[in-house]
Amino acid sequence: MFVHVETRRRPRWHWATLLIVSVCVLCFVGLALAPAPQRISFLLEWGTVPANIFDPHEALLPQLTDPALLRLFTALFIHVTWLHLLSNLLFLAIFGLPGERALGSMRFLLLFVLGGIVANLIGALSLQGVRLPIIGCSGAVSAVVGTYVALFPRAKLGLVLPLGLYLEFVRVPAFLLIGIWVLLQLLFSYAGPSYGAYVWWAHIGGFLFGLIFALFSRDAVARRLRG
């Protein structure tokens, strides 16, 4: 799965996507091996639990300096089911690898982290009082997808599909895969407590953040592509 990006720059090693995938997988394996009580305790301690972060009866601005907001970041790397993990990392690879080539590893990592934090913040604000944890990097991946759409609106992705005994290479519009991503997020949002709180607004917020991030990154991307 790839999209070709024209550039005269020397090939560089892009490490951000690999780092994100590695941390998510290690966290998933660690949780899978932990006893159930410890796993639940970990989710409540490091997931974004809206009721533990925001008090609807207190002023919002002072609460934005609460150290508990660190959970907006740590929740990005927590997954409790392999399907949730696989779907996030698959689309991160599809859209993240070409996005990282265009943005550069540091800027791409900044997009993932800030987009995920903003997405979780929006999710927590929309779910004040809810005691289920918001977990997973869906909001961050939504930010990556949003940036990809803005940078490559007419891009096509090359896919290798298994057809019987043969592998077939096809090129499909990126918007088709984005539609599949949206459907998956809808399914996860309505799956209920097994995946954490309902966070559809977090996905929308992450996607919009990605669009805005791309607008501010266009000049930097153009300079990279010119070499």
Side-chain angles (χ1 to χ4, degrees):
M1 303 171 184
F2 62 89
V3 59
H4 182 64
V5 178
E6 294 292 345
T7 177
R8 294 193 298 273
R9 296 179 66 89
R10 292 181 179 179
R12 291 185 177 182
W13 182 58
H14 301 292
W15 49 266
T17 302
L18 178 61
L19 175 64
I20 294 167
V21 170
S22 299
V23 174
C24 288
V25 171
L26 288 173
C27 185
F28 175 78
V29 172
L31 278 175
L33 296 176
Q38 293 183 16
R39 189 182 309 126
I40 294 172
S41 177
F42 184 89
L43 294 177
L44 295 176
E45 176 66 24
W46 296 107
T48 300
V49 180
N52 295 345
I53 293 181
F54 294 112
D55 185 344
H57 303 295
E58 299 290 337
L60 175 61
L61 289 180
Q63 295 184 75
L64 293 178
T65 61
D66 190 334
L69 293 182
L70 176 64
R71 277 69 173 176
L72 298 174
F73 168 74
T74 56
L76 298 177
F77 305 99
I78 301 174
H79 300 78
V80 293
T81 68
W82 67 267
L83 184 59
H84 191 197
L85 175 70
L86 182 62
S87 66
N88 278 341
L89 298 189
L90 175 62
F91 281 89
L92 176 64
I94 292 173
F95 295 101
L97 291 174
E100 184 179 354
R101 287 199 296 269
L103 292 169
S105 294
M106 283 300 300
R107 186 175 280 107
F108 178 81
L109 184 61
L110 185 66
L111 164 65
F112 181 89
V113 171
L114 290 183
I117 288 174
V118 169
N120 283 346
L121 177 63
I122 293 172
L125 289 173
S126 67
L127 295 167
Q128 290 185 9
V130 172
R131 299 191 176 277
L132 293 174
I134 298 172
I135 58 173
C137 60
S138 298
V141 176
S142 295
V144 172
V145 172
T147 296
Y148 186 94
V149 169
L151 293 177
F152 309 108
R154 294 180 295 275
K156 289 188 176 182
L157 291 159
L159 301 180
V160 178
L161 301 177
L163 298 177
L165 299 177
Y166 301 95
L167 296 176
E168 182 72 20
F169 178 84
V170 297
R171 296 185 68 84
V172 299
F175 275 101
L176 176 61
L177 291 174
I178 292 172
I180 296 173
W181 164 253
V182 171
L183 286 176
L184 282 174
Q185 298 316 301
L186 279 171
L187 289 174
F188 285 130
S189 293
Y190 286 104
S194 61
Y195 297 101
Y198 299 89
V199 287
W200 180 237
W201 278 109
H203 303 156
I204 295 175
F207 186 85
L208 293 177
F209 178 90
L211 293 177
I212 296 171
F213 189 93
L215 293 178
F216 284 98
S217 301
R218 281 187 179 277
D219 291 341
V221 171
R223 287 195 298 270
R224 284 180 60 82
L225 297 184
R226 286 196 300 267

